[in-house]
Amino acid sequence: MATIIGGVATTHVPSIGKAIADKKQNDPYWRPFFRGFDYVHGWLAKEKPDVAVVFYNDHGLNFFLDKLPTFAVGAAKEYRNEDEGWGIPVSRSIAGDPDLSWHLINALVEDEFDITMCQDMLIDHAVTIPMALMWPGENWPVRIVPVDINTVQHPLPSLKRCLKLGQSIGRALESYPQDLRVMVVGTGGLSHQLDGPRAGFINKEFDQLCLDKIVAEPETLARYSIHDWVKESGAQGVEFLNWMAMRGALTGRVSELHRNYHIPISNTAAATVVYGNAKEVQRKAA
Ligand code: DHB
Ligand code: FE
């Protein structure tokens, strides 16, 4: 059976890609952010996931405002990136796991999630930047199942709905017959706003509340309306929907193994976390 080993969530600011290309990881501006990945690298080396289910939001590369699904699940053999106009190198492609994708798609539809299924899907910086941060070498040792959540065009799905989407995926993963080690990833956030009169808006207090509550009380956060979330976290702070779905997919006793919070990276409050997902049996044995 598949095992959900835990989760990683991190910001996906595109300029991180430029910093990596220019090898600026140790520059004073970037160092506090990149050092936050030392723990992640050790955890991944120890846990050795086979597959990552990646909750993210497309920013106009694969879907545009003319046709924008609320939830879209990849079912491709391979996912390609293209030039998005941020001035960062186009990323290498990432291998998919179509069998697992279809298992998740079937389970989601059975659970009454009317998702869009994508056998051809470009992945943008919201997938490629976190991958480059988690595995800085040449090889990315995991296959992925990308799950895109609309955080771009209102009406957006609620925080509660995204938590439930994650929970449905968590249950589906646990019923997958192959012996896979699966990690879940949430990308984007925390507070940021890229345009309008509040461009540059960051809310450290609210971010700390999110980081404190998501581990043991995600339902408390799920009570916020999208409108209130935008007020507290900025227009793009709604990328936290991806974090909620990631948290929902963790089915066991969740613990915070690592937290790094750094302001600002570009316009964004950058947070990186690792969550463990202890199983019932382990809990009893402990
Ligand atoms: C920035 C943040 C994002 O989430 C994004 O998708 C693009 C840019 C930024 O802070 O520059
Ligand atoms: Fe973004």
Side-chain angles (χ1 to χ4, degrees), residues 169-241:
I169 286 184
R171 286 191 298 273
L173 286 170
E174 295 204 313
S175 73
Y176 193 57
Q178 278 189 38
D179 276 333
L180 288 181
R181 294 178 66 72
V182 183
M183 69 180 292
V184 289
V185 179
T187 92
L190 291 177
S191 59
H192 63 303
Q193 172 142 346
L194 300 180
D195 49 19
R198 288 206 309 168
F201 174 81
I202 278 176
N203 186 346
K204 183 174 173 183
E205 244 173 57
F206 187 70
D207 290 338
Q208 297 302 335
L209 175 86
C210 294
L211 293 169
D212 289 342
K213 296 284 179 201
I214 193 172
V215 180
E217 289 177 54
E219 297 81 11
T220 310
L221 300 177
R223 285 192 210 112
Y224 278 81
S225 68
I226 291 292
H227 187 85
D228 286 342
W229 202 273
V230 169
K231 242 194 262 170
E232 296 289 351
S233 189
Q236 278 71 44
V238 290
E239 289 179 345
F240 195 75
L241 292 176

Side-chain angles (χ1 to χ4, degrees), residues 12-14 59 86 125 192 194 239 266-268:
H12 58 222
V13 174
H59 299 68
W86 293 105
H125 65 273
H192 63 303
L194 300 180
E239 289 179 345
S266 187
N267 294 294
T268 299

